[in-house]
Structure formats: structure tokens, C-alpha cells
Amino acid sequence: MKTFLTGLLLTAAALPAFADPLPGDIHLDVIPRTAAEAERIAAVTAPTDDFSKAEPFELNQGGAATTDFAVSPDVFSQSSANMSFEREMDFKVGNGLFRKLWVSSPSSTTSSDGLGPLYNARGCQNCHLKDGRGRRPIREDEPTVSLFLRISVPATSPLTDQIEGYLATAPDPVYGGQLQNFSVAGVPAEGQMQMEYEDIPVTLPGGEVVTLQKPTYSISDLAYGPLAEDAMISPRLTLQMIGLGLLEAIPEADILAHADPDDADGDGISGRPNIVWSKEFDRPMLGRFGHKAGVPTIRQQSADAFSGDLGLSTPINPSASGDCTAAQEACRAAPDGASPEFEVDEQSLDLVTFYSRNLAVPQRRDLDDPTVLHGKELFYASGCTSCHVPKFVTARLKDQPEQSFQLIWPYTDLLLHDMGEGLADNRPEGRATGREWRTPPLWGIGLTKWVSVRDFYLHDGRARSLAEAILWHGGEAQAARDAFAGLQKPDRDAIIAFLESL
């Protein structure tokens, strides 16, 4: 692994991003682990082989930050349970900013103006419904808000000299980095995403038929002429917000320890880290967030959403025109709310970051149920934990007590995996190829129907059930998918029951 990190992944320019102590690229005040502590952590995070009962501390899958709030549509909107009363106020103010509906400029409410001129939503909560995942439209007259299209074209970039394996792209020269289907008065919206679905029936042992929906995406009503001939589009359904701060607090070394780009152990799994450019720290960093791990920190993820989704400027993305390009003259000329400096100032960005970092993971449910325990055993035996790594212990952080030194159960390795042609978007991002996706965390997945009302899974919401989501797995996950598909219905139902308990 050391040879991989120093020879294949890192260049001299990238080395500072991986210097000790870890993860020093995100947290400046990390207390290093002792050898004895590291040994104890290795023991507690080792995969279990006893499925007769729940593991110690498995109930609180977000560690001491786990919320025991009752199952309801608001279960994803609770603060870290170990948060002090004094810090709770910052969480609530951040929540207010996250829920705020922005308006166009000029406006009498100067603290809320600056929307657009092109945008996908008027507020963060419009996409992350009750802090959960988005919903793809199911009717032709239903607007697409929490599902949108990324756009890019092949390009050259100096990052290819700083990050080995970097796949350079650039925004479309006319439409920018994503399609905005809404706009302020006097500025044409860019276009409308169109979806068509092909039914693919899959017959499972026992005669059960699961019908997969294969989507095809296009854009209608393009207002600024055609896309570039080599433009690549990729759909994105917004992700749930819980546990982000805990994922950010996993030591970088612990994530990289699971990387096996050449499949040296021969298990068919070749997880790779995505290394991306940090606008915040001006250097390469490990990607953790987004469907392809294309963003290194929660703060940058928040700033990118303000810019791309709402058209709002921040200290990280200072353009008050958001994703408008030079070819969109009306958009560039429209009034903005950048007075005196940014539409979302540094304090507001920090508060939204704090809120996003501290949305609590809910407690497990029914973890001692015999069916759930059987499903957990089958989940492990099918090889699912090769990518969906069950446990980590977060770093000791002086400045973030809520996330510091917690045993967490996210069921992800945060690495990139080739998921096969069926899920390929054929659009690279950072070091991620058009067939690679980050392993998504599974905690809270069983509460999706409570929070988001509709069950939509995978990067574009094509899967309408957890069974469909599993059956879409290919590439490195083909063997695990086939193991699930080959089980009898009671065993398949047990795996689903385990997932729904998370």
C-alpha cells in the first residue's frame, strides 16, 4: 500500500495534502493516536463473525452523536446528540439559513436577495427534502428540483501534472457545469431535462419478478443554442445530509488503507481514492463527498451548492452570477445581491457548514431481530462489506467535540468502484472514470420512505426499492449482486430487512 500511495497516487506537489498528522488537510487540531490506541481501534473495527446477536454499540451507529428521535419525517433533521447547549444555537441559525428561500435582486430583503440569475432551487431544503435525499419526478408536469444534470466537456488542465490519473474536464462553454431549469425574470432558463425509461424484468428464484427502469436523459428547450458536440451529461439526485461531519472526521489513512487499485488480494474489488482540487485549501485533497467523491470538504460542498444550484456567491465561489457563462449575456448583466462583498458571507457559510456537519445519524431499529441478524450475516457473506465497510473510529479533534473519537457504522469505504456499464454515466470527475462511483453510506437508508416519502435510490433515483438498487450493481459489485439474486426469497427479504434497520 505504501508503494501505491507514494508511487501511483501522489506527486511532489500533492504530498503536503497527505502529511501527518491525519487528517491534517481538514482538521488542524488532531490529536495523534498512540500505538496502543491504534491497536485497540483495529480490534473494534474488525468485521464480526458472530451474527447471533447485535454487536456492542451497534445501536448508536453515529457514536455519541446518534439521535434517538422518534421515527418521523423529521428524523434526519436533528442535531448531534452530544452537542452542548451553547453550540446548539449555531446549529439552529444554520438550519434557518439552510431553509431560507432566496429572492432575486434587487429586493427590499437585502439579506435574502441574489438568487440566480440561473438556478435549480430557491433554497437548500428544496433539494435536500427534510435533510434527506431528493425525489425524481414521476409525472410529466412535475418540475425537476432535486434531480439535475451535470455538464462537462473534455479538456486539458494543469491538475493532470499535480494529480496522477486526473481526468480533466471543463464546463460546457455555453451552459456551464450544470443545467439550470429555472431563472429570474428577464433571463431565459437554460432548458428542461427529459427522461425516458425502458423496463427490464429480472426473474429471481421462486418466480419473483423485479422490473428495473433503465433511464435515458436528454435536454429540451435549450435557450442558448446547442450543447458542445462533445458535451457529457450526468444526472444527480441530491443525497441525504446525515452524518457528514462524521465522514469528514474519518482519518485519511483509515480510508486509504482500504484502497486496492490493482486488486492485490484477488477479491475482485479495486477501490480507489478520488483526489480532487480543494478550492478552500488550494491543493490536492482526498475526495469524500458527492456521488463520485468529487468534493473534499463539507464547506466546499456547501459553497459549490450555493453557486451551482442557487447562483449565490461565497468566499469560495465569488462569482455573483453563479454558473452563468460569458455566452449568457443577460445572465451576466442581471442585478446581483453581492453587497458589500458576497451574497452568502463567510459567517453564513460557516453556519451552514456547521449545520450540515452536525445533522445526526438516527439509532438503529430492530437490530436484535432474528431476521435482521440473518440478513446481516448474508450481507457479509455475499461480499457487500468489501465496499460497504461497516465501522470506523473518527479522529480525536480538539475543535469538533461532536465528531471526535467516535465509533461509527456508516457502511462505506468512501472509495471509487467500477459499478459496470449499467450504471455508467460516461462522465469523469477528478480521478473517477465514467464507470466509477463512490460507495454511498448506508446509515439511515431504511428511513428514506419516512423522510423523502418516495423510495428512490442510486445516483439518479432510478431504483424504486432497495432490491432494485442491488440488482443494478455490476462491475466490481457483480459477484455480490449475483449472490443476492441467487438467494431464495426469504433470504433476500432478510437482507432487505437488515438494510431497512440501518
Side-chain angles (χ1 to χ4, degrees), residues 395-464:
R396 287 192 183 274
L397 305 174
K398 297 178 182 177
D399 58 339
Q400 291 176 216
E402 298 85 4
Q403 288 80 44
S404 179
F405 206 60
Q406 301 297 321
L407 172 62
I408 62 173
W409 307 68
Y411 284 92
T412 177
D413 58 8
L414 295 179
L415 297 174
L416 300 172
H417 296 275
D418 183 335
M419 295 300 292
E421 189 59 34
L423 289 177
D425 68 346
N426 300 310
R427 176 185 174 272
E429 184 174 335
R431 297 177 73 241
T433 71
R435 290 168 56 104
E436 288 181 313
W437 301 94
R438 180 201 68 159
T439 306
L442 296 181
W443 50 18
I445 197 167
L447 296 170
T448 297
K449 57 190 172 186
W450 283 92
V451 177
S452 302
V453 180
R454 301 173 187 167
D455 282 341
F456 290 136
Y457 305 99
L458 301 178
H459 67 280
D460 56 1
R462 69 178 68 186
R464 299 159 297 176

Side-chain angles (χ1 to χ4, degrees), residues 293-312:
V295 183
T297 66
I298 297 170
R299 193 168 187 266
Q300 181 172 322
Q301 179 86 331
S302 301
D304 287 353
F306 273 127
S307 179
D309 300 340
L310 283 76
L312 297 169

Side-chain angles (χ1 to χ4, degrees), residues 457-482:
Y457 305 99
L458 301 178
H459 67 280
D460 56 1
R462 69 178 68 186
R464 299 159 297 176
S465 68
L466 293 172
E468 284 188 32
I470 295 170
L471 293 172
W472 269 111
H473 283 48
E476 296 174 42
Q478 186 69 47
R481 178 263 182 212
D482 291 347

Side-chain angles (χ1 to χ4, degrees), residues 90 129 190 262 441:
D90 286 344
L129 306 170
E190 291 184 318
D262 298 319

Side-chain angles (χ1 to χ4, degrees), residues 205-443:
E208 180 184 1
V209 177
V210 177
T211 301
L212 306 182
Q213 287 193 322
K214 179 182 178 181
T216 301
Y217 297 92
S218 61
I219 304 174
S220 66
D221 304 322
L222 285 167
Y224 300 90
L227 292 171
E229 289 186 4
D230 52 358
M232 301 169 283
I233 62 173
S234 178
R236 294 288 190 274
L237 189 75
T238 50
L239 292 162
Q240 65 188 27
M241 300 286 292
I242 58 171
L244 297 183
L246 296 168
L247 297 177
E248 191 178 53
I250 298 173
E252 193 172 75
D254 292 1
I255 296 172
L256 296 177
H258 290 281
D260 186 15
D262 298 319
D263 192 18
D265 60 7
D267 67 351
I269 306 298
S270 305
R272 302 192 310 129
N274 199 358
I275 307 302
V276 298
W277 190 260
S278 167
K279 305 174 190 175
E280 188 177 0
F281 296 101
D282 195 32
R283 59 181 174 179
M285 286 175 57
L286 174 67
R288 299 174 187 244
F289 303 106
H291 289 286
K292 286 181 180 273
V295 183
T297 66
I298 297 170
R299 193 168 187 266
Q300 181 172 322
Q301 179 86 331
S302 301
D304 287 353
F306 273 127
S307 179
D309 300 340
L310 283 76
L312 297 169
S313 59
T314 65
I316 293 178
N317 294 310
S319 172
S321 298
D323 195 37
C324 296
T325 68
Q328 297 168 323
E329 295 180 2
C331 183
R332 287 289 185 96
D336 62 61
S339 176
E341 192 170 8
F342 305 111
E343 290 158 324
V344 179
D345 63 19
E346 187 161 5
Q347 182 182 24
S348 297
L349 179 59
D350 287 344
L351 287 165
V352 170
T353 300
F354 183 81
Y355 173 74
S356 301
R357 184 176 285 145
N358 280 287
L359 284 163
V361 178
Q363 278 187 344
R364 286 280 304 279
R365 297 155 312 286
D366 304 320
L367 67 168
D368 284 313
D369 182 271
T371 300
V372 170
L373 290 169
H374 179 52
K376 178 182 176 181
E377 182 176 15
L378 292 170
F379 185 85
Y380 280 55
S382 298
C384 302
T385 56
S386 296
C387 301
H388 291 284
V389 174
K391 296 174 278 185
F392 289 92
V393 172
T394 60
R396 287 192 183 274
L397 305 174
K398 297 178 182 177
D399 58 339
Q400 291 176 216
E402 298 85 4
Q403 288 80 44
S404 179
F405 206 60
Q406 301 297 321
L407 172 62
I408 62 173
W409 307 68
Y411 284 92
T412 177
D413 58 8
L414 295 179
L415 297 174
L416 300 172
H417 296 275
D418 183 335
M419 295 300 292
E421 189 59 34
L423 289 177
D425 68 346
N426 300 310
R427 176 185 174 272
E429 184 174 335
R431 297 177 73 241
T433 71
R435 290 168 56 104
E436 288 181 313
W437 301 94
R438 180 201 68 159
T439 306
L442 296 181
W443 50 18

Side-chain angles (χ1 to χ4, degrees), residues 166-197:
Y166 190 84
L167 302 170
T169 62
D172 182 271
V174 173
Y175 289 91
Q178 71 187 57
L179 181 76
Q180 279 95 15
N181 54 326
F182 297 107
S183 61
V184 302
V187 178
E190 291 184 318
Q192 301 299 319
M193 175 171 52
Q194 302 296 323
M195 296 158 284
E196 294 183 359
Y197 293 93

Side-chain angles (χ1 to χ4, degrees), residues 16 51 139 222 322 483:
F51 301 97
R139 302 186 312 271
L222 285 167

